[in-house]
Structure formats: structure tokens, C-alpha cells
Amino acid sequence: MKEIEDIIRAYNVSRQSGKKVALATVVHVEGSSYRRPGARMLVTEDGVMTGAISGGCLEGDALRRALLAIIQQQNKLVTYDTTDDDDARIGVQLGCNGIVHILFEPIDPESPHHPILLLEQVLEKREDAVLVTLFRLNQAAQQPGTCLRYSGGTFAGSLEEGELKTAIVNDALEVFGRKQGMVKQYGDEKPALHGFVEILKPPVSLIIAGAGNDAIPLVQIAGIQGWHTTVVDGRALYATPARFPEARKVIVSKAKEVLDKVSIDERTVFVLMTHNYNYDLALLELLLQKEVPYIGTLGPRSKLERMLDELTAKGVHISDEDRARIHGPVGLDIGAETAEEIALSVTAEIKSVLSERTGIPLRKKNGPIHTL
């Protein structure tokens, strides 16, 4: 989601200066590629690029394609085929052994449903959304482009009423329900019309209980990933915006009042690292009453077990599901010792949990790295 936020900021800056722009979106991938469907890049008419559609190998050629789309004011699809071992012949040296389809859409700021506007609507609230982009794999064919947004129980977009819209709406609702995107063919016309039906999730909301020095790199690393971070602590001298400029919020609060001052949703995670046993214990008790997908506790396993034993003795029911979402000691086993290394370990574990991945080395993974 950080990429989309960056693109929207860059678009607003370009619009203020009167510059024309185009949006490049990876809409379909066959085989392996550095970026997956949904990767985006904004290109201005003077060559400024925001976001990324590859590891850097495609951007040069994509810049030329985007400028052409801006000049002609037409959506264009470009296919990069690197399944040939001699991929140097197309001048991009991808080295990914895949076929990447990228849609270029010049942005008309006067259009009531242009792609950037639909993305802005996605970011208005912290909730899942679905975006639908239509394309044809024949590069010479007409490319409809981004056409539908679903979020908050409402639809917006440029699709006209009819069988096609009905089918796409049904697919958008299906993707929204199962939280998994897809590429689908619509109708039997030639060249075939495909739709990239994409699920977009809000940024991770990381709430750090603890404003010590070891929380500073955690906020910084989370910020690099575009997470929305809140720091909360009972010590006013520690919990200050000056110490945590990258945090969205810094709150001074007693443990029992923390949950009254923050918002919790399915993308909200907590890390308890106040180095104050009683503060962490009180907050953990409250969090067990909420549907929080990840609760990390800093410190040895014995500390966590002691807290759980105390809560159990107090009459707090702790289910197997509760234990599964409590991660203590927090983080992945990467040999972390410094605050920066621990922050890396913690954010990696949070990412793996929210993505429902194991965190194993990729060389030990069977099958493709990514799913749509």
C-alpha cells in the first residue's frame, strides 16, 4: 500500500504543476517475475518515476512506453517475454524467465473515474477494497483499463450497465470475500478480454507499547514498509513526537486506557516492549479480549509464561487460538542482538504472520514464490 500512497502524492504534485502523467500497472504475469500483478509506477511527462514495476530492468523501456501513452492519450499494453534465454535481445535483461504484461494508462484529471482517483477512494478508509482492470493481451487491441472499485459496500467506476458489468461485479464480490485476487477472461470475443480483479488491503497498523530507545528502529523499519505506527507509553518524557518523528501517533497513556485511544482492525498488530512487566501484563489482558491477529512480547519465553500463568490464575480464559496469536519471544530467529536487528526480526515475523507464510528460506520452498 505504500507504493500506492507514494503514487497518489506524486500525482497530486504533478497536477499542481500541470504535468501530464501515465500509470503503469502489472496486470498479468506468466512464469516468474520480480514484481507481481498489482505493482504500479507513475510516470510524468518529464520522466519522473514513482513506484516500480520491476527490479529496475524494465523501467527504462517502460518510461518510453508511458511517454508514448501520454502523447497519444491512449491506454497501451506492453508484453515483455523473457522465457527465451537470450532475453538481452529485447534490451531489458530481466533474467526472470517469465512473461510480464504491463498496462499504461494516461491519466485524464477531468475524468470522474480515472485510476488515481479510484486508488484515492481505496485509501479513504482502513478497509479492504477490490479494483478491476480490463485488458487484452493483443497489444494492438483497445485496452479498457481500470474500470471498477469496490469498497465500503459501494461500487464506483466507468463500466456501463450490462452483462459484462454484472459478471465483473460478481467477481469483485467473490474476490472481496475470499481475499484472493484473480485474472479472468470475459466473453468469447477475439481478442479476448481479461480482467485483473485485485484485492487491496489497508497498511499494517503497528502499535508499539514502549517508547524506549529500542522502539526507535522498529518505528523506522515499519515506516520504510509503509506501515502506520503508533507508539504508546506511560512515560511522558519518553513518548514524544520528537523521539519518534516517523510514527503516525505518539500517545501517553496508562495501560488500562490504551485500547480506548487506538483503533483496532484485522490489520492491527501489537508489540509489547515497555520493559515494565506490570504495564505489559495489563495490556496483554485487554488484548486477549480483542480480535488482534498478532501480539508480540519482548523478552524471554519465561516472562510470557509467567504473564499467562498470572492471567489464568486471575480467571482469564486463554484458548489455544489466543496462544497461537501471542508471539513471545517476539521475532524470527535470525540471530538478532542489536535493537536494529531485533526490529528487522520483529517486522519480518509480523509480515509472515499476516501473509500466512512460514518465514522459511525461499530456497527451501517448493513451488512458486508468489501467488496472485
Side-chain angles (χ1 to χ4, degrees), residues 261-317:
K261 299 179 180 181
V262 299
S263 298
I264 297 177
D265 57 36
E266 62 183 10
R267 298 277 288 173
T268 302
V269 299
F270 281 77
V271 175
L272 311 184
M273 51 187 302
T274 65
H275 301 280
N276 181 320
Y277 179 86
N278 290 327
Y279 194 107
D280 288 354
L281 178 64
L283 186 51
L284 177 59
E285 179 178 358
L286 295 173
L287 289 174
L288 288 172
Q289 303 171 35
K290 301 291 184 179
E291 294 184 1
V292 178
Y294 179 99
I295 305 169
T297 62
L298 189 67
R301 187 184 309 277
S302 59
K303 173 191 171 183
L304 174 58
E305 292 301 328
R306 177 186 169 191
M307 288 195 292
L308 295 177
D309 288 343
E310 287 192 28
L311 292 176
T312 300
K314 189 179 177 180
V316 176
H317 175 66

Side-chain angles (χ1 to χ4, degrees), residues 318-326:
I318 303 174
S319 66
D320 291 340
E321 290 76 13
D322 290 331
R323 287 181 175 272
R325 60 195 178 103
I326 302 172

Side-chain angles (χ1 to χ4, degrees), residues 62-361:
L63 171 60
R64 294 188 291 271
R65 307 285 189 161
L67 294 179
L68 181 61
I70 291 174
I71 292 171
Q72 297 182 349
Q73 286 296 293
Q74 290 181 348
N75 294 346
K76 295 185 175 296
L77 185 90
V78 177
T79 297
Y80 297 93
D81 185 349
T82 63
T83 55
D84 191 317
D85 290 337
D86 187 21
D87 61 13
R89 63 189 173 84
I90 64 173
V92 294
Q93 291 89 31
L94 276 174
C96 292
N97 197 32
I99 303 175
V100 185
H101 305 278
I102 299 175
L103 181 68
F104 295 86
E105 299 176 88
I107 304 301
D108 176 7
E110 301 304 319
S111 170
H113 302 297
H114 66 73
I116 304 296
L117 182 59
L118 294 179
L119 289 172
E120 286 181 326
Q121 293 170 357
V122 167
L123 293 182
E124 287 177 355
K125 296 181 180 180
R126 282 191 55 82
E127 57 188 15
D128 292 349
V130 174
L131 204 65
V132 181
T133 303
L134 297 177
F135 61 95
R136 294 181 173 89
L137 295 179
N138 184 327
Q139 298 182 50
Q142 181 184 11
Q143 305 294 338
T146 308
C147 62
L148 189 73
R149 183 271 306 160
Y150 173 74
S151 60
T154 64
F155 290 91
S158 56
L159 281 176
E160 297 182 357
E161 297 295 334
E163 292 184 4
L164 176 60
K165 181 175 181 178
T166 298
I168 291 176
V169 164
N170 289 335
D171 288 337
L173 292 173
E174 178 185 344
V175 165
F176 185 84
R178 61 187 178 92
K179 310 302 180 187
Q180 180 68 45
M182 64 180 177
V183 173
K184 183 175 180 179
Q185 179 175 330
Y186 293 99
D188 53 6
E189 61 180 293
K190 302 294 183 180
L193 179 67
H194 292 82
F196 170 38
V197 189
E198 175 184 14
I199 183 73
L200 294 170
K201 298 181 180 181
V204 175
S205 174
L206 170 61
I207 300 178
I208 303 170
N213 291 342
D214 54 352
I216 294 175
L218 181 54
V219 173
Q220 293 171 338
I221 290 179
I224 290 173
Q225 299 177 82
W227 295 4
H228 295 180
T229 305
T230 298
V231 177
V232 58
D233 199 303
R235 301 168 294 180
L237 291 178
Y238 284 77
T240 67
R243 281 172 51 80
F244 299 96
E246 295 92 348
R248 292 292 181 104
K249 293 181 180 180
V250 180
I251 301 171
V252 178
S253 174
K254 297 178 180 179
K256 64 181 181 180
E257 299 173 354
V258 168
L259 300 192
D260 294 329
K261 299 179 180 181
V262 299
S263 298
I264 297 177
D265 57 36
E266 62 183 10
R267 298 277 288 173
T268 302
V269 299
F270 281 77
V271 175
L272 311 184
M273 51 187 302
T274 65
H275 301 280
N276 181 320
Y277 179 86
N278 290 327
Y279 194 107
D280 288 354
L281 178 64
L283 186 51
L284 177 59
E285 179 178 358
L286 295 173
L287 289 174
L288 288 172
Q289 303 171 35
K290 301 291 184 179
E291 294 184 1
V292 178
Y294 179 99
I295 305 169
T297 62
L298 189 67
R301 187 184 309 277
S302 59
K303 173 191 171 183
L304 174 58
E305 292 301 328
R306 177 186 169 191
M307 288 195 292
L308 295 177
D309 288 343
E310 287 192 28
L311 292 176
T312 300
K314 189 179 177 180
V316 176
H317 175 66
I318 303 174
S319 66
D320 291 340
E321 290 76 13
D322 290 331
R323 287 181 175 272
R325 60 195 178 103
I326 302 172
H327 298 260
V330 66
L332 296 181
D333 182 10
I334 60 173
E337 293 187 16
T338 67
E340 290 77 11
E341 292 169 347
I342 292 171
L344 177 63
S345 167
V346 171
T347 55
E349 182 179 57
I350 292 172
K351 172 61 179 173
S352 69
V353 169
L354 294 182
S355 300
E356 298 181 345
R357 298 297 183 94
T358 62
I360 64 171

